[in-house]
Every structure is written in C-alpha cells, then in structure tokens.
Amino acid sequence: MKNKKLSWLAMFIALSAAGSFIKIPAVIGSVAFDTLPALVAAGVLGGTAGAAVGAIGHLLSALASGMPLGPFHFLIAGEMALLVYFFGLLKRSGKNWSSGILFFLGNTFAAPLPFILLMGKSFYLAIVPSLFIGSILNTILAFLVLPRIARVFGRSLAFSRQA
C-alpha cells in the first residue's frame, strides 16, 4: 500500500505543479491553483501528504513566477503546509464546513499577517483580495472534486484514520 500512496502523492505534486501555471491576478504572481491538488490530497491521503503537496506546490508556483518574495516563500510554504494539514484532519474527521472555513480564513487573512511586519500594512491590504479569490476558488473546487476522487481511492486508502 505504501507504493500506491507514494505514487498518488507524486501525481498530486505533479498536478500542483501544473496548477501553479494557472495564475489568479494578484500583486504577487504566486497566487494560483497549486493548492487545489494539496487540498484533495489531504482529503484522500491524509493531512501529512496534503501538507507535503501544499508546501512543494507553493514553492513550484513561486518558482514559476520568478520567486518574487525571495526566501519569504519558504515561510509561505510552511504556512500552506500547516493549513492544508489541518484541513485534512478536519475533513477526514467529518467536519467538512470547519475544514473549508479554517482553510479559507487561514489562507486569506492569517497567513499574510507576518508580512505586515516584514513588508508593511500596504502589502497585506494589497494581497488579501487576491488571496480571498484564490482561497475561495481552491476550496470550492476541492469540495467539488473530493467526493469524486475519493471513489477512485476506495475505502481502504481514502478513509483510513492515519494522517
């Protein structure tokens, strides 16, 4: 079963890389659909797998846009991993609305908070609208895709209680 899970993890990372090229207009060009595969991976493979896809996906998205925030992208990748991990934990425990709301609020408003100290309040106010749109789209699409993908995985892999 580990090889099968590893293969699916690689596929989700590849999908995240592809999604990183579908950009959402923003002040910084790394807001994209790289998160959608991470959320789906968290729902079917668990929070840890989703976190890995989320972090790697963000770094690939940042590379695709020229790493406009430089090393700050590693901070963002860590935040993304944490948010996707908790999304997966809540989703797999049956708290669907909570998982979506936590991810949306965390990604839109909480994740950019450190940048108030690093880059100023104006950067925060400029990036939030794009993150709002990106978070809404990624979350809604994940909720639409997850039930269909879960059928592909079957009960043994998709609904095991391991994170």
Side-chain angles (χ1 to χ4, degrees):
M1 189 62 89
K2 281 189 173 232
N3 288 337
K4 189 175 186 179
K5 189 172 181 177
L6 189 59
S7 296
W8 280 105
L9 182 63
M11 186 208 62
F12 282 119
I13 291 171
L15 287 171
S16 188
S20 74
F21 289 100
I22 305 171
K23 300 291 186 193
I24 296 165
V27 175
I28 298 297
S30 64
V31 179
F33 282 100
D34 58 313
T35 308
L36 174 59
L39 295 174
V40 174
V44 294
L45 298 176
T48 304
V53 175
I56 294 168
H58 174 74
L59 291 174
L60 292 172
S61 181
L63 281 170
S65 61
M67 293 286 278
L69 295 175
F72 293 138
H73 281 292
F74 292 102
L75 168 65
I76 299 167
E79 292 173 333
M80 185 62 62
L82 193 64
L83 287 168
V84 172
Y85 177 78
F86 285 115
F87 173 87
L89 286 181
L90 290 170
K91 181 83 173 124
R92 290 167 58 104
S93 67
K95 297 176 179 162
N96 291 332
W97 284 104
S98 297
S99 66
I101 290 169
L102 173 79
F103 179 78
F104 168 73
L105 293 175
N107 195 46
T108 302
F109 301 108
L113 279 176
F115 289 92
I116 291 175
L117 299 173
L118 299 169
M119 300 180 85
K121 187 177 177 181
S122 59
F123 177 81
Y124 179 85
L125 294 173
I127 197 69
V128 165
S130 300
L131 288 175
F132 179 88
I133 293 168
S135 297
I136 284 281
L137 292 174
N138 278 299
T139 306
I140 289 173
L141 288 173
F143 275 102
L144 292 173
V145 170
L146 257 168
R148 290 152 182 84
I149 296 291
R151 279 188 249 138
V152 172
F153 281 81
R155 296 197 66 78
S156 62
L157 182 59
F159 298 104
S160 66
R161 289 291 177 194
Q162 293 178 329

